[in-house]
């Protein structure tokens, strides 16, 4: 169970949060992309053995959507920031 | 015959005899005994039957490593899958062996032994595959049952949350020393140990610390810790899982002083010290599971701690020095030690010196055991010669394996230690250190020093004084299995995995240790392979011509020892796990005799209001007809509602809905779909503009939280610079929704200052005003296809509003409507329902709702993906209506449609089927492959009792033009 340092609430246990998936690149202008580029943005998030960026929602806290840098092996969290 | 109690010594209280029952027979033991030591003292040799082959098994270990004897406790203390060596004996204890039926002595399942060769490794995977698993499952579960599931949760468990500067797992010499150092420095210490008593390995053998009996030192340490307010010391408590960020799960068994069966601790620790000791390994040779074969350390523990002689005439089989102390203790206790069989070519002099007068056989192996109901002799071999040595006890030591389970669960790494022939802790992945035997220490003095150093390092303290203790030498030459070991040489005694199984797995190409583990199930039992995991690794490595570090270990998984479900759940059981939500009218609904359902998102809602003498169907028909012909009212409070405010709220809604909302005028609303970015329908709802900067959005009841989450995510992650504020106001409004052709008359009669004429208050409009003297917001939406007014008031005003509209509508025959009738009405109208037609696979065109996709260049979430999908002409499931050819035939929701109703791949399924009041027959909706093109044709619903023919039609059965809801 992670301990997430919410920038607004301080260290809170994972059960206060909802996982919100991998951090995708900013939503592109769909009209400016080819079909392949669109599918790539939408469905191919990175899944490395190591550092990932992902979204967590402080659902049972302040309601902030956070972006975490988390290590998938050690679960170390290097950074927590609001928004993207 | 075998086994008896020594007249003196041990940590039992001979003045406190205890009566107990095992497998239906009565015995006596002493206070201080475990169930296992008491059984051994009573000469009970067969205490279990094995899981797969139902082989007779006895006590093998002395603590949590015991792989064979699992028991179920009966009576007040009922609990399943307890390890006999860890169950403290109490007066009246009643237990029975888990695997054996009707008892361990006489076991019908033993016939499995006769077909043992028919159950090789991988048997389950090869045999019990779909579609035939159901043929085997009942028999397998009966034959292989590992205990019964407790019948129900009770409330005698609790959860406790705690924080600690230093959590210490293990109160042996290293753990106690660390606790003393940290406690004296004032740190918040949580010390826990799985044993009944503190002391760890010191309880099992004689040792000295600081020049006095080690157990005196233990008693002193425990007393000193008890006096420290900053130290919490738990015994009979196991840290069974090491989770992320130093969260440890601890199972405290039977904290009787508090009247509890168990307590689950969740401890967030700044630093963790793993001082969990080491466990002795088995060696793979044929018959190494025969009752009378024990771990050498277990023999020693039973002699010294419980004063039990597990046999009269013993052989020792070892590959290392530690068993020599055991042999000396055995001889001193009056056990005739016939021989020490040592696989090493030469034995160190320090070891030999301990066992003068006992025959030592270096370079020898035990290859087999003999005896029908327990051990009678062992076969010993050397230099091609083989002979038998009679004995009733074989003490085996395959060397010591540091208990790195917790360490590894923390994701910290291991390294191979050649001198120990074992994996030891290497680099920590969290704030964790290891000390003592768990860290590879082999001497007592070393363990004490490591414990003290670990505490100092964790807390930044100066080096303390550490009492002196001896560091006895320890040497080992690995021996995993003896040559010729096969189908009766067990490497996982609990799961009945043999050397032959390992070899079969290797022959069939499973060379990776994780694959070997899964294929053979070795190490996957409740004991987590404590005595045999490394033996498996070593044996596999040997057969592949590799070294153990090249093979690696399997993943150590929680729980370390069995954990009561109750200790995980705590008080979070039964109705408090997920509490229900109630509307302000719940009491009224119940008083009317409504049958209450969950209506999504844990809302309790009336399903229907049966009247005297009515059947279910009659009630639903009456309620639905009331709405179609007169007027009904329902409690719509659970409907999800969000308020969006801010200068950018309009364009934000344009982005999330399939139709633009920014162009709405105040007081006007629009129905639209909300899609996921991959172009599938996520929700549908109505959005009203209240004034220039405020919008009110409604969502499906069950989806309200998910919609809120998605809106917030989009806003905070993608559009943080936009001026939008989203507020969930579901609970801030109650509503009574009048529906039916007479709804306007009732609302007028209830008294309102809102102009209700169709011109002034058209469909999809919203008005603020007063209704029945209450401040209200009235919306003209319809979920039934009839003229409707959704009257929203403050929740506290809802009961008054409800009464007012019921009285106002009495003349028109108004009646309350439940969700069952609502379901009929929405199906007749072809309205979507979350979880029925909206199942996460459909896009707007699939449901015939292409009209809800805004045309033009404007972008919205999901649009690109819908268009991309539409550019392919692969057939898709599409929404259709259907009428069973037999109008009285109901088909169940979810039933598959297949070509001609044959046993073929499904081409769709029934999403809803109701008895229609407008057509007076059964009809429904379905998602069907290429369904739109098949309207007018016949399709077939496949049911167990046969195919049901249905005629496909447009998915709307009532007022297709929508005149009634607009009236
Ligand atoms: Zn927060």
């Amino acid at each position: 169970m992670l301990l997430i340092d919410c920038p607004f609430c301080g260290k809170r246990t994972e059960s206060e949060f909802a996982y919100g998936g991998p951090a995708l690149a900013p939503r592109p202008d769909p009209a400016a992309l080819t079909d392949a580029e669109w599918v790539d943005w939408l469905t191919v998030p990175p899944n490395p053995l190591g550092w990932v960026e992902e979204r967590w929602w402080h659902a049972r806290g302040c309601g902030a959507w956070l972006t975490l840098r988390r290590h998938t092996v050690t679960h170390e969290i290097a950074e927590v920031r609001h928004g993207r | 015959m075998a086994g008896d109690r020594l007249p003196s010594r041990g940590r039992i209280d001979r003045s406190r005899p205890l009566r107990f029952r095992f497998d239906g027979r009565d015995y006596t033991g002493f206070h201080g005994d475990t169930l296992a030591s008491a059984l051994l003292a009573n000469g009970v040799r067969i205490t279990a039957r094995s899981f797969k082959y139902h082989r007779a098994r006895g006590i093998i270990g002395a603590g949590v490593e015991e792989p064979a004897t699992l028991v179920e406790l009966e009576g007040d203390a009922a609990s399943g899958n307890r390890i006999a060596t860890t169950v403290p004996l109490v007066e009246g204890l009643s237990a029975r062996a888990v695997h054996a039926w009707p008892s361990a002595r006489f076991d019908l399942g033993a016939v499995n032994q006769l077909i043992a060769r028919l159950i090789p490794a991988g048997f389950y995977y090869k045999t019990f595959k779909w579609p035939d698993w159901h043929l085997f499952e009942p028999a397998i579960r009966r034959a292989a049952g590992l205990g019964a599931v407790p019948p129900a949760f009770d409330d005698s468990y609790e959860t406790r949350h705690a924080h600690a500067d230093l959590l210490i797992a293990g109160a042996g010499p290293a753990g106690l020393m660390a606790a003393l150092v940290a406690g004296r420095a004032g740190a918040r210490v949580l010390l826990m140990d799985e044993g009944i008593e503190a002391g760890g390995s010191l309880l099992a053998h004689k040792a000295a610390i600081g020049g006095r009996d080690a157990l005196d030192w233990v008693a002193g340490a425990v007393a000193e810790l008890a006096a420290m307010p900053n130290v919490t010391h738990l015994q009979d408590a196991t840290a069974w899982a090491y989770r992320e960020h130093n969260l440890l799960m601890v199972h405290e068994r039977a904290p009787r002083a508090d009247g509890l069966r168990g307590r689950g601790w969740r401890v967030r620790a700044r630093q963790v010290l793993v001082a969990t000791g080491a466990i002795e390994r088995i060696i793979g040779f044929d018959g190494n599971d025969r009752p009378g074969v024990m771990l050498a350390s277990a023999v020693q523990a039973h002699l010294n701690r419980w004063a039990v002689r597990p046999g009269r005439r013993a052989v020792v089989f070892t590959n290392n020095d530690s068993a020599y102390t055991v042999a000396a203790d055995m001889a001193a206790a009056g056990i005739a030690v016939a021989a020490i069989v040592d696989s090493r070519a030469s034995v160190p002099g320090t070891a030999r010196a301990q066992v003068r007068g006992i025959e030592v056989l270096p370079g020898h192996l035990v290859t087999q055991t003999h005896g029908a109901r327990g051990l009678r002799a062992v076969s010993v071999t050397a230099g091609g010669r083989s002979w038998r040595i009679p004995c009733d006890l074989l003490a085996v030591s395959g060397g010591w394996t540091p208990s790195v389970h917790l360490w590894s669960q923390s994701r910290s790494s291991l390294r191979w230690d050649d001198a120990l022939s074992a994996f030891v802790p290497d680099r920590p992945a969290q704030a964790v250190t290891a000390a003592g035997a768990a860290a590879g220490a082999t001497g007592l003095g070393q363990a004490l020093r490591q414990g003290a150093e670990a505490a100092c390092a964790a807390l930044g303290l100066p080096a303390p004084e550490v009492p002196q203790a001896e560091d006895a030498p320890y040497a080992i030459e690995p021996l995993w299995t003896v040559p010729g070991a096969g189908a009766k040489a067990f490497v996982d005694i609990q799961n009945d995995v043999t050397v032959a199984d390992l070899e079969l797995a290797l022959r069939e190409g499973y060379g990776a240790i994780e694959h070997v583990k899964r294929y053979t199930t070795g190490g996957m039992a409740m004991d987590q392979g404590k005595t045999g995991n490394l033996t498996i690794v070593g044996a596999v490595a040997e057969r592949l011509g590799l070294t153990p570090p090249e093979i690696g270990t399997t993943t150590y998984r929680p729980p370390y020892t069995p954990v009561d479900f109750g200790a995980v759940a705590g008080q979070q059981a039964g109705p408090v796990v997920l509490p229900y939500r109630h509307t302000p009218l719940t009491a009224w609904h119940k008083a009317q005799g409504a049958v209450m359902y969950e209506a999504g998102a844990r809302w309790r809602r009336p399903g229907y209001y049966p009247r005297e003498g009515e059947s279910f169907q009659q009630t639903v028909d009456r309620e639905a007809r009331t709405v179609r012909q007169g007027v009904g009212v329902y409690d719509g409070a659970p409907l999800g509602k969000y308020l969006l405010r801010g200068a950018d709220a309009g364009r934000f809604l344009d982005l999330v809905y399939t139709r633009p909302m920014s162009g709405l005028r105040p007081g006007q609303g629009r129905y639209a779909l909300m899609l996921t970015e991959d172009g599938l329908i996520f929700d549908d709802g109505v959005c009203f503009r209240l004034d220039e900067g405020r919008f009110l959005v409604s969502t499906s009841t069950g989806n309200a939280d998910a919609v809120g989450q998605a809106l917030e995510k989009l806003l905070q992650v993608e559009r943080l610079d936009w001026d939008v504020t989203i507020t969930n106001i579901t609970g801030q409004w109650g509503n009574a929704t009048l529906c039916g052709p007479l709804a306007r008359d009732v609302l007028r009669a209830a008294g309102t200052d809102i102009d209700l004429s169709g011109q002034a208050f058209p469909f999809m409009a919203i008005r603020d005003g007063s209704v029945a003297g209450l401040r209200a917001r009235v919306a003209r939406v319809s979920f039934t296809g009839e003229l409707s007014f959704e009257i929203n008031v403050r929740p506290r005003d809802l009961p008054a509003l409800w009464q007012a509209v019921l009285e106002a509508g009495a003349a028109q025959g108004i009646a309350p409507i439940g969700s069952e009738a609502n379901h009929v009405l929405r199906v007749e109208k072809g309205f979507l329902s979350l979880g029925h037609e909206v199942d996460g696979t459909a896009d707007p065109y699939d449901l015939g709702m292409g009209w809800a996709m805004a045309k033009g260049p404007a972008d919205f979430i999901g649009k690109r993906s819908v268009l991309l999908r539409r550019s392919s002409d692969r057939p898709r499931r599409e929404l259709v209506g259907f009428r069973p050819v037999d109008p009285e035939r109901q088909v169940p929701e979810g039933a598959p449609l297949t070509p001609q109703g044959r046993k073929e791949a499904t081409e769709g399924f029934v999403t809803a089927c109701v008895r229609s009041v407008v057509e007076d027959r059964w009809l429904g909706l379905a998602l069907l492959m290429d369904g739109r093109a098949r309207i007018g044709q016949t399709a077939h619903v496949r049911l167990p009792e046969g195919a049901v023919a249905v005629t496909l039609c447009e998915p709307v059965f009532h007022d297709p033009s929508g005149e009634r809801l607009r009236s």
Side-chain angles (χ1 to χ4, degrees):
Chain A
M1 185 130 29
L2 304 177
L3 194 62
I4 297 173
D5 197 356
C6 173
F8 305 104
C9 310
K11 286 183 180 172
R12 299 299 183 90
T13 193
E14 183 183 327
S15 50
E16 290 187 9
F17 295 81
Y19 177 63
L24 302 182
R27 186 173 186 270
D29 173 7
L33 264 58
T34 65
D35 288 351
E37 286 168 340
W38 174 255
V39 169
D40 199 60
W41 171 76
L42 185 63
T43 64
V44 195
N47 184 23
L49 197 67
W51 291 102
V52 289
E53 293 224 326
E54 57 196 19
R55 316 269 190 229
W56 289 77
W57 187 34
H58 200 180
R60 292 169 190 85
C62 62
W65 271 96
L66 308 173
T67 299
L68 264 66
R69 245 171 84 71
R70 182 177 66 91
H71 197 280
T72 55
V73 178
T74 63
H75 292 299
E76 186 186 342
I77 296 173
E79 190 187 351
V80 183
R81 57 183 191 271
H82 183 219
R84 108 164 356 270
Chain B
M1 176 193 88
D4 58 353
R5 186 81 72 173
L6 295 164
S8 62
R9 77 152 94 181
R11 298 179 68 76
I12 50 167
D13 185 348
R14 289 175 177 75
S15 69
R16 293 171 70 185
L18 303 170
R19 284 166 303 172
F20 70 101
R21 210 170 158 77
F22 180 72
D23 271 354
R25 294 191 178 203
D26 294 312
Y27 302 99
T28 309
F30 293 115
H31 184 81
D33 262 327
T34 65
L35 175 59
S37 68
L39 286 170
L40 277 175
N42 280 280
V44 180
R45 305 206 89 185
I46 299 173
T47 52
R49 288 280 171 173
S50 76
F51 171 61
K52 201 157 81 179
Y53 304 136
H54 289 250
R55 288 170 68 88
R57 296 271 164 81
I59 308 286
I60 293 169
V64 293
E65 77 283 3
E66 167 62 34
T69 306
L70 296 175
V71 298
E72 261 173 66
L73 302 185
E74 299 166 322
D76 289 347
S79 113
N81 289 330
R82 298 291 299 271
I83 307 163
T85 46
T86 67
V87 175
L89 197 66
V90 292
E91 175 64 30
L93 182 131
S94 179
R96 61 190 180 84
V98 161
H99 299 160
W101 180 85
S103 80
R105 270 165 192 273
F106 176 77
D107 177 22
L108 293 178
V111 292
N112 271 14
Q113 271 199 71
L114 304 176
I115 57 164
R117 72 185 65 206
L118 302 179
I119 313 182
F123 177 65
Y124 291 80
Y125 297 121
K126 289 170 182 165
T127 311
F128 307 124
K129 286 187 302 191
W130 186 90
D132 298 322
W133 164 246
H134 62 280
L135 298 179
F136 300 101
E137 188 195 1
I140 291 287
R141 290 211 191 281
R142 261 202 312 277
L146 274 169
V149 176
F153 285 118
D154 60 28
D155 57 1
S156 56
Y157 290 94
E158 68 170 30
T159 306
R160 198 171 275 188
H161 295 258
H163 295 264
D165 294 321
L166 181 62
L167 180 147
I168 303 169
L176 283 171
M177 192 67 231
L180 286 174
V181 170
R184 286 168 187 161
R188 208 158 31 147
V189 175
L190 195 51
L191 170 67
M192 65 204 52
D193 184 87
E194 66 200 1
I196 307 297
E197 283 187 86
S201 61
L202 299 174
L203 295 164
H205 61 82
K206 290 171 293 224
I209 293 177
R212 53 184 174 140
D213 188 319
L215 290 175
D216 291 343
W217 179 84
V218 169
V222 168
E224 187 180 342
L225 293 170
M228 293 179 185
N230 52 320
V231 174
T232 304
H233 176 187
L234 307 173
Q235 285 295 145
D236 206 5
T238 306
W240 59 270
Y242 196 134
R243 312 262 308 256
E244 303 85 2
H245 298 177
N246 271 16
L247 179 79
L248 281 93
M249 311 288 282
V250 179
H251 179 204
E252 185 183 6
R253 285 169 291 269
R256 284 176 206 86
D258 302 324
L260 294 171
R261 277 176 188 233
R263 183 183 280 135
W265 290 72
R266 288 164 201 199
V267 185
R268 194 73 80 165
R270 216 179 284 279
Q271 297 277 339
V272 172
L273 174 60
V274 174
T276 45
I279 288 173
E280 202 166 26
R281 299 194 279 275
I282 53 176
I283 297 172
F285 56 89
D286 277 354
N288 62 351
D289 64 328
R290 195 176 301 282
V293 180
M294 295 178 73
L295 291 171
S297 56
V299 173
Q300 189 173 37
H302 280 100
L303 280 174
N304 293 325
R305 184 170 174 187
W306 293 293
V308 174
R309 262 195 300 237
R312 292 291 175 82
R313 184 179 158 83
V315 170
V316 176
F317 182 28
T318 185
N319 63 356
N320 69 87
D321 292 353
S322 72
Y324 285 78
T325 328
V326 180
D329 282 2
M330 284 197 279
I335 297 176
V337 182
I340 300 176
V341 180
D342 197 320
S343 60
R344 298 174 293 180
S346 72
V347 175
T350 47
R352 277 184 185 275
Q354 296 181 62
V355 293
R356 292 189 202 291
I358 298 176
E359 185 179 18
V360 177
L361 302 173
H364 284 58
L365 297 171
V366 170
T367 53
Q368 269 190 65
T369 64
H370 310 277
R373 297 188 58 82
L375 187 68
R376 302 286 294 274
V378 297
S379 285
V380 172
T381 182
R385 206 165 63 82
S386 190
W387 69 99
R388 288 186 181 196
I389 304 177
C391 62
D392 60 2
L393 176 64
L394 176 65
V396 178
S397 178
W400 290 85
T401 307
S403 292
V404 294
H405 300 68
L406 266 192
W407 173 270
S408 294
Q409 283 179 26
S410 77
R411 306 211 166 197
S412 304
S413 69
L414 300 172
R415 67 175 171 82
W416 179 254
D417 185 316
D418 256 327
L420 294 177
S421 288
F423 290 100
V424 295
D426 190 17
R427 285 184 313 280
Q430 302 194 35
V432 57
T433 49
T442 55
L444 178 53
Q446 196 186 2
L448 293 170
R449 289 191 298 278
Q450 286 185 355
E453 283 159 15
C456 292
L459 301 167
L461 304 171
E465 289 262 324
V466 179
Q468 282 301 310
E470 191 198 358
D471 283 320
Y474 172 77
I476 177 171
E477 286 174 23
L479 172 69
W480 311 109
T481 60
V482 305
K488 285 176 180 167
F490 290 85
V491 287
D492 180 331
I493 288 176
Q494 193 165 101
N495 258 359
D496 269 353
V497 179
T498 66
V499 172
D501 292 327
L502 297 182
E503 290 172 348
L504 178 67
L506 294 177
R507 275 204 306 282
E508 296 193 348
Y510 295 90
I513 193 68
E514 291 282 8
H515 294 163
V516 172
K517 167 179 165 173
R518 278 156 187 76
Y519 199 59
T520 63
T521 74
M524 285 167 68
M526 271 175 294
D527 69 345
Q528 288 285 294
K530 290 184 181 66
T531 56
N533 259 1
L534 198 55
T535 311
I536 292 174
V537 171
V540 169
E542 212 164 55
R543 281 155 182 75
L544 293 175
L546 299 169
T547 61
E550 288 173 310
I551 293 280
T553 63
T554 55
T555 308
Y556 292 87
R557 295 178 196 283
Y560 177 65
T561 47
V563 176
D564 290 353
F565 284 130
V568 178
Q571 302 274 321
Q572 276 192 305
V576 301
V577 172
L578 278 172
Y580 281 118
R581 299 176 183 182
H582 299 281
T583 81
L585 295 175
T586 298
W588 188 91
H589 298 315
K590 285 185 175 164
Q592 297 301 305
V595 176
M596 303 294 283
Y597 291 163
E598 182 179 342
R602 302 297 289 171
W603 283 100
R604 294 287 284 180
R605 215 175 167 180
Y608 57 104
Y609 301 83
R611 287 181 182 165
E612 192 69 34
E614 268 182 351
S615 70
F616 167 80
Q617 198 57 54
Q618 285 168 336
T619 305
V620 176
D621 284 355
R622 171 180 56 74
E623 291 180 12
R625 206 166 279 124
T626 302
V627 174
R628 290 276 179 251
Q629 296 171 357
V631 59
V633 61
Y634 65 84
D635 177 358
L639 197 70
K641 290 174 277 292
Y642 283 90
L643 182 68
L644 278 79
R645 289 169 292 171
D648 297 309
R651 63 169 173 156
F652 183 73
L653 288 165
D654 291 349
L655 185 59
V656 299
Y657 277 112
T658 55
R659 301 170 77 195
M661 301 297 175
S662 56
L664 291 170
R665 293 185 309 279
Q668 191 186 17
R670 182 168 288 157
Y671 173 86
L673 300 171
M674 193 181 284
L675 307 182
T676 55
E677 191 67 278
D678 48 6
L680 301 171
I681 300 176
F682 172 46
D683 197 49
D684 67 343
V686 175
C687 175
F688 289 102
R689 180 169 223 151
L690 298 176
D691 51 41
E692 203 46 48
R694 292 191 307 153
F695 291 83
L696 176 65
V697 161
S698 70
T699 76
S700 310
T701 297
N703 228 4
D705 292 339
V707 167
Q709 177 176 355
L711 293 181
E712 282 289 355
K713 185 180 183 188
L714 183 68
L715 179 63
Q716 295 187 39
V717 173
E718 298 288 350
R719 298 290 186 268
L720 196 50
D721 54 333
W722 284 16
D723 175 20
V724 184
T725 305
I726 303 166
T727 312
N728 184 344
I729 55 167
T730 306
Q732 271 59 49
W733 293 93
N735 89 55
T737 300
L738 287 167
C739 45
L742 304 179
R744 185 177 279 117
D745 303 340
V746 174
L747 181 50
R748 198 166 279 139
T752 178
D753 59 0
I754 300 168
D755 182 347
L756 300 181
S757 69
Q759 206 128 44
F761 191 1
F763 182 59
M764 282 295 165
I766 194 163
R767 299 287 181 264
D768 284 345
S770 83
V771 172
L774 305 166
R775 208 163 55 127
R777 173 175 287 164
V778 183
R780 273 199 64 185
V781 289
S782 177
F783 298 95
T784 58
E786 300 298 329
L787 170 67
S788 291
F789 293 91
E790 183 191 277
I791 311 164
N792 292 276
V793 295
R794 293 180 299 185
R796 76 185 88 146
D797 291 339
L798 186 56
L801 173 70
W802 191 260
Q803 278 306 329
V805 297
L806 286 177
E807 281 161 26
Q812 285 90 348
I814 195 170
I817 306 302
S819 51
E820 291 287 352
N822 261 308
H823 180 55
V824 172
L825 296 164
R826 74 98 188 160
V827 171
E828 287 181 334
K829 191 68 179 77
F831 284 155
L832 305 185
S833 171
L834 190 83
H836 290 84
E837 294 75 30
V838 180
D839 66 345
T841 67
D843 78 11
Y845 293 96
D846 297 335
L847 302 190
M849 297 184 73
W851 58 266
M853 294 274 291
K855 307 299 178 283
D859 178 34
F860 54 84
I861 300 289
K863 179 183 180 182
R864 177 67 193 262
S865 295
V866 171
L867 297 179
L868 182 60
R869 188 176 296 116
R870 288 290 136 189
S871 67
S872 136
D873 49 8
R874 278 173 53 191
R876 291 185 52 82
R877 284 178 176 170
E878 294 169 337
L879 185 68
V880 290
F882 69 83
R883 294 181 178 91
V885 172
D886 172 1
E888 295 307 314
R889 188 69 166 91
Q890 179 189 12
V891 292
E893 293 179 359
L897 290 131
T898 66
Q900 304 304 315
R902 289 190 303 258
K903 187 181 180 182
E904 284 180 36
T906 66
E907 47 182 7
F909 61 95
V910 174
T911 61
C913 181
V914 299
R915 181 155 182 96
S916 164
V917 292
V918 294
E919 296 200 6
D920 193 26
R921 58 165 297 142
W922 290 90
L923 50 77
L925 302 171
L927 281 167
L928 182 64
M929 195 58 79
D930 228 0
R932 300 283 318 161
R934 294 167 63 180
I935 284 174
Q937 300 174 9
T938 302
H940 293 86
V941 179
R942 179 176 157 77
L943 295 175
E945 60 270 28
V948 177
V950 301
T951 308
L952 302 176
C953 58
E954 287 288 340
V956 54
F957 302 89
H958 176 65
D959 187 28
S961 63
E963 274 167 46
R964 296 173 71 94
L965 55 81
R966 286 192 177 80
S967 61

